[in-house]
Amino acid sequence: MEKTAINNRYDFVYLFDVHDGNPNGDPDAGNMPRLDPETGHGLVTDVCLKRKVRNYIEIVTSTDPKDDGTNKIFIKEGAVLNNIIAKEYDATGQNTKRAARARMCANYYDVRTFGAVMSTGEKEKNAGQVRGAIQLTFARSITPIITSDHTITRMAVATEKEAEDQKGGNRTMGRKATVPYALYRSHGFISPHLASDTGFSEEDLELFWQALEGMFDFDHSAARGLMAARRLIIFKHNSALGNAPAHKLLECVQVKQHDHSTPARCFEDFEIVIDRDKLPQGVELIERI
């Protein structure tokens, strides 16, 4: 059954936190938590958040007997992208870039949601480029973060040579960086104009909201500590063009720390204030979390 693309513009605020973990390591800084060097605020890239959404969608749809096969993930671990593009190009039977692009949008959730560059393969098997219906910003911590660098010990070695070097101790040392606590804020924007181009539907949108609500429950690891989605505040416009500038709506949501004399160590140390009086006509406020 053909799905109908969304007709409304959306802007949203997404809050999540981390306890004693590294939410997004920076490979250029020894995998320490990413931060703004001028202010000390923590950062989590949009790419990191999209990865978690993709993983959630793949897990949920792969176990859903009602899934119609249109929610596959294009950018996933171990994928050879040019092989996927060539396969879908051949499957159209039309040998055109336009047909291949349409097929990729129809069958891959992340292509119609976030977009993709699909012109990297063989010259004659080109699926073009897609600009996705949803765009995310970097997440930034509400307050500056302090990173803790811990020494850890492994009571085993990987090779015989290491065992000889350790003279029977069989211990190797390592490092682990964590953030004691931080609350992060990200913004998102959903365009019905781009959705009409990719076929991003109301069903896709609901799946995206569910991913933001539950993706951290499927992403636990020793490195990331305890992460959780805390608030998802959505501004739904009653038109495709929108009823107010996005920044004006996002400014209606303020996050304040109760007591600045001590460092924040839990979500309850913050207050979320929504100025509903500033909401313009034609904008509906939806709180999913």
Side-chain angles (χ1 to χ4, degrees), residues 47 77 105 141 195:
V47 175
E77 186 176 355
C105 287
S141 66

Side-chain angles (χ1 to χ4, degrees), residues 51 54-55 58 71-81 84 108 110:
R51 174 77 275 141
R54 287 184 171 100
N55 291 344
E58 187 173 25
N71 291 317
K72 296 192 287 289
I73 298 299
F74 177 53
I75 308 293
K76 62 181 180 180
E77 186 176 355
V80 182
L81 303 183
I84 296 174
Y108 293 86
D110 56 334

Side-chain angles (χ1 to χ4, degrees), residues 35-197:
L35 56 80
D36 181 333
E38 293 185 317
T39 67
H41 287 83
L43 299 174
V44 173
T45 67
D46 60 320
V47 175
C48 176
L49 297 176
K50 291 175 183 177
R51 174 77 275 141
K52 298 180 194 307
V53 171
R54 287 184 171 100
N55 291 344
Y56 177 91
I57 299 299
E58 187 173 25
I59 292 170
V60 170
T61 58
S62 65
T63 58
D64 183 2
K66 296 181 181 179
D67 183 65
D68 58 4
T70 62
N71 291 317
K72 296 192 287 289
I73 298 299
F74 177 53
I75 308 293
K76 62 181 180 180
E77 186 176 355
V80 182
L81 303 183
N82 288 347
N83 290 350
I84 296 174
I85 296 169
K87 177 183 176 182
E88 299 296 343
Y89 184 97
D90 292 337
T92 65
Q94 300 181 34
N95 297 327
T96 66
K97 178 174 71 174
R98 183 171 182 174
R101 182 183 186 275
R103 184 176 176 86
M104 291 294 296
C105 287
N107 290 335
Y108 293 86
Y109 181 89
D110 56 334
V111 173
R112 59 181 181 269
T113 304
F114 301 129
V117 175
M118 300 175 292
S119 56
T120 58
E122 303 173 37
K123 186 176 181 180
E124 67 275 10
K125 295 184 178 181
N126 184 341
Q129 298 184 20
V130 174
R131 188 177 171 194
I134 298 180
Q135 303 300 325
L136 297 173
T137 67
F138 274 36
R140 177 177 289 268
S141 66
I142 302 302
T143 57
I145 64 171
I146 299 295
T147 61
S148 300
D149 192 21
H150 312 276
T151 300
I152 56 177
T153 305
R154 183 176 67 176
M155 301 300 294
V157 292
T159 66
E160 291 287 347
K161 186 177 184 309
E162 285 182 311
E164 293 173 1
D165 293 342
Q166 294 292 334
K167 298 180 180 179
N170 279 21
R171 292 188 180 188
T172 55
M173 310 297 288
R175 311 292 296 177
K176 184 174 184 178
T178 63
V179 177
Y181 180 81
L183 178 63
Y184 288 81
R185 173 173 177 159
S186 177
H187 298 150
F189 315 94
I190 306 178
S191 165
H193 170 70
L194 296 174
S196 66
D197 181 49

